[in-house]
Amino acid sequence: MSVLLYIALAMLMAVLLSWYVRTKIRYLPQQKEFREEVYRSAGILIDSEQVSDDTAEMVFRAAKHMCLPLLPWRIAWVLITGRARKWHQNDSSRTKAFADEFEKLPQHLQEQMVKLWVSWALAVTYQSVILGALLRRVALYGVGRKNKKRFTGGDDAGALFMASNFRPA
């Protein structure tokens, strides 16, 4: 009886492992595409004379730390525990400073900043198969409901770009 149980568990593990590997391989091109977009936008923003040193440093750190393997788990933990909301409420002067800095940028640099953060968020979610899918689902859940163009669900980045109407508060 126990031998059959071990065989069944081994077969289940083999099926799960093959699913995980196929999904991870399918994610790699998308993850690479988003990473390249982050690096492209970061290069444009960092090289620009119109971007402040603080914003350039923040962009550099975001691009540098994007590939950390535990980053999706840290982000999920911050969201689950409610720390993101607390940080936003308690550090409103920093948020306001970023919003002011964003508004001072020319339109083409504002677009690069939005591209950078949307691509960064999606690149990070493609690092984890299960958690990434959950984070993308949560992030994209309201896109079709809030977007006048009625996104129907093809391209994740396109959906976020269309729905972003990014204006920091």
Side-chain angles (χ1 to χ4, degrees):
M1 186 72 160
S2 64
V3 173
L4 291 176
L5 181 63
Y6 287 127
I7 291 172
L9 285 175
M11 290 176 60
L12 179 64
M13 290 301 292
V15 168
L16 289 175
L17 184 62
S18 69
W19 169 81
Y20 177 81
V21 169
R22 280 184 304 194
T23 305
K24 191 71 170 170
I25 289 171
R26 196 175 67 233
Y27 278 5
L28 289 176
Q30 296 165 320
Q31 184 180 23
K32 181 181 177 189
E33 181 181 329
F34 288 127
R35 283 183 180 173
E36 288 173 354
E37 185 62 40
V38 168
Y39 293 138
R40 197 176 6 243
S41 296
I44 291 170
L45 289 166
I46 290 172
D47 292 341
S48 175
E49 298 288 327
Q50 298 167 324
V51 175
S52 72
D53 291 339
D54 291 338
T55 303
E57 176 64 26
M58 178 180 57
V59 167
F60 177 77
R61 278 187 283 126
K64 179 181 173 186
H65 296 296
M66 175 177 52
C67 298
L68 293 176
L70 292 178
L71 191 58
W73 294 97
R74 289 180 184 170
I75 291 171
W77 182 251
V78 165
L79 293 173
I80 289 169
T81 59
R83 290 182 188 171
R85 183 179 303 127
K86 291 176 189 173
W87 288 341
H88 179 70
Q89 291 170 348
N90 296 339
D91 201 8
S92 60
S93 62
R94 193 165 144 189
T95 305
K96 178 95 170 94
F98 177 74
D100 292 342
E101 174 70 27
F102 180 81
E103 291 296 327
K104 289 178 188 175
L105 293 175
Q107 181 66 31
H108 72 283
L109 291 178
Q110 286 182 358
E111 290 172 4
Q112 290 300 320
M113 185 75 79
V114 171
K115 273 188 195 179
L116 174 109
W117 290 115
V118 170
S119 298
W120 183 87
L122 288 169
V124 167
T125 64
Y126 277 104
Q127 289 181 19
S128 173
V129 173
I130 296 171
L131 185 62
L134 180 65
L135 288 173
R136 282 190 303 281
R137 174 66 180 154
V138 169
L140 294 173
Y141 180 74
V143 170
R145 292 160 187 76
K146 296 176 186 173
N147 187 10
K148 293 178 184 174
K149 295 181 182 179
R150 301 304 290 171
F151 173 74
T152 57
D155 178 25
D156 289 345
L160 283 178
F161 285 130
M162 287 171 24
S164 65
N165 294 330
F166 183 75
R167 293 289 176 249

